[in-house]
Every structure is written in C-alpha cells, then in structure tokens.
Amino acid sequence: MRILYVEDEKFLAQAIAQALKRRNYAVDLEYDGLAGLDMALLDIYDIVILDIMLPNLSGIEILREMRKEGVETPVILLTAKSGVEDKVEGLDCGADDYLSKPFQVEELLARLRALGRRKGQLVNGSVLVFADIELNYNTLELRGNGKTFHLTLKESQLLELLINNKYTVISTNTIIEKLWGWDSEAEDSHVQVHVAFLRKKLKLLSDKVKIKTTYGVGYVLQDSDDV
Ligand code: CA
C-alpha cells in the first residue's frame, strides 16, 4: 500500500513515516500544502493523510481540490485539538476519517487497516487472498499448496497491487509509480525482474495463479479456473 502524508511538522512527519515503513507501507512525505496537492493529484496513492494547518494550502483545501478533480483516494484528516468545526468541514468535503492530534501510531495504523478493509480486499487484518494463495503483507509471507515463501518487500508490494486489481491490466508505469515512487529512476526492466521472481514463487505455490504479460502494456493477475 502506498501512502501520501502531508505534514509540515517535520519531526512528527518523519517519525510517523518511519513507523509506517516498518509496517511495510510505502510512504511519500510532503511538508507543504501546494506540493502535497500536486502529489495527491497524481492519483497513485491508496490512502492520503492530510494535516489541516499547512503552509500555502490547508489540508481541507487539498481535499476539496482532489475531489473536484475526481481523485477518490481515501483521505484521513489530522485535526488539531478537538477542532469540531474542522472535523465537520472535513467530512463534508469528502474525508473518509479523521484523527485528533496528538495521536498514537497504533491508532493511525488501525484507521489505515479500516480504510483498506472498506475497499473490500482485506481479510483478517493484513492477509490478502486470491484463488488458492494468501499474501500476508505485514510478514511478507506468501502461502499456497501447504508451503510458505518469504517475499522481498517489492515482490509483496507488486503482488498486493496485482491482487487489488485482479483481472485488470496494470501498466508498467503504474507499477513503477506505486513501487518506486513517481520520480524514481526505475525502468521497465526492474519491473520485469520482480515479475520474474514472483512468477517462480507462484509456480511452486499454486497451479492456478498466473501473472500474464500484456505486451507493450503491463501485467494482469489471473486465476486459470476463471479464464
Ligand atoms: Ca500543521
């Protein structure tokens, strides 16, 4: 899961980002409202966390612009104190959840899991199921056929992306943006290598699950029973 976190308190932002990364979330940080809006409008994130008081553009203004531009990414607003008006305004603008500062990391993690669940994909906290395989993206374990393999973080993120978009072709560019970030130097060949490793592991764990290549476009996850 890739998260955008817009927060001008750098120390807090970095501490939270570290905690999320330890849980295998990919996190991009922005400290400024306008820069945060640019990133949010890329529409490559699974969840956006917005502080409300930000330089240049508030979290609520970012949220309003996102919704106006048709970006439906779930948003968690971080409100100062017990700013009831902020909460109401935020929810009216299309926020999915809010958290009052100061908050515990565990509280934020619970909200992230809940938002993930609302997308209808999560079973059992951090386990994704597709056909006869199970991916635990916290422990990076992939199970099937009574066997378990440990994936690399990138392999796990790639499989998570494919499961969440099953039967839909994901472009190589989208994979690069989600796994390495939009400004990365990663190339198509990086994706090919990770797909190749993942295919090898899938072959040993499942007779059904296949990553199919659509040449010139990208990749799609299929259950051979369904095609
Ligand atoms: Ca702030």
Side-chain angles (χ1 to χ4, degrees):
M1 222 182 320
R2 189 161 204 99
I3 296 173
L4 171 65
Y5 179 23
V6 190
E7 168 67 75
D8 58 326
E9 289 168 54
K10 289 194 180 176
F11 184 76
L12 173 70
Q14 284 163 6
I16 296 288
Q18 279 308 316
L20 295 178
K21 283 176 187 169
R22 274 199 298 276
R23 264 77 167 197
N24 299 322
Y25 289 102
V27 185
D28 290 335
L29 272 183
E30 285 296 338
Y31 305 117
D32 170 272
L34 279 174
L37 175 63
D38 283 347
M39 296 293 282
L41 292 181
L42 292 174
D43 204 6
I44 59 168
Y45 295 99
D46 299 295
I47 294 179
V48 174
I49 306 170
L50 298 173
D51 184 31
I52 292 190
M53 297 295 287
L54 291 166
N56 293 318
L57 204 63
S58 78
I60 292 195
E61 288 168 313
I62 295 175
L63 172 60
R64 198 174 280 140
E65 277 306 304
M66 284 171 66
R67 297 305 186 234
K68 207 171 95 190
E69 297 296 324
V71 176
E72 296 299 331
T73 316
V75 167
I76 301 178
L77 282 178
L78 302 181
T79 65
K81 294 166 278 166
S82 57
V84 177
E85 284 168 23
D86 283 348
K87 286 175 192 166
V88 172
E89 196 184 354
L91 293 172
D92 280 351
C93 291
D96 297 85
D97 207 347
Y98 57 82
L99 206 49
S100 300
K101 284 176 160 180
F103 56 86
Q104 302 288 322
V105 174
E106 292 305 324
E107 224 177 324
L108 177 60
L109 288 166
R111 304 296 172 97
L112 292 174
R113 285 194 296 270
L115 281 180
R117 259 198 301 277
R118 246 182 259 174
K119 283 167 73 192
Q121 302 294 349
L122 285 186
V123 184
N124 227 344
S126 44
V127 177
L128 286 170
V129 178
F130 178 73
D132 56 354
I133 58 160
E134 281 183 27
L135 169 69
N136 184 320
Y137 59 76
N138 270 336
T139 60
L140 308 182
E141 283 171 338
L142 181 63
R143 288 172 207 277
N145 261 340
K147 292 190 280 275
T148 301
F149 280 116
H150 201 78
L151 301 184
T152 65
L153 180 57
K154 287 273 184 281
E155 285 167 358
S156 171
Q157 289 172 340
L158 174 61
L159 187 56
E160 184 186 341
L161 182 63
L162 289 167
I163 293 177
N164 280 331
N165 297 279
K166 54 198 162 195
Y167 305 115
T168 309
V169 178
I170 306 293
S171 76
T172 307
N173 272 342
T174 300
I175 295 172
I176 289 174
E177 285 175 349
K178 290 266 188 187
L179 268 63
W180 284 273
W182 66 280
D183 59 347
S184 79
E185 304 280 312
E187 292 169 10
D188 293 9
S189 58
H190 289 78
V191 177
Q192 284 164 13
V193 169
H194 285 84
V195 167
F197 278 119
L198 194 52
R199 273 185 178 140
K200 272 189 192 167
K201 290 175 180 168
L202 283 171
K203 208 170 177 180
L204 296 166
L205 296 178
S206 171
D207 305 320
K208 301 178 177 181
V209 181
K210 303 258 178 325
I211 302 173
K212 205 175 149 254
T213 304
T214 304
Y215 288 98
V217 187
Y219 302 90
V220 57
L221 191 69
Q222 293 181 337
D223 174 352
S224 58
D225 283 357
D226 290 347
V227 269

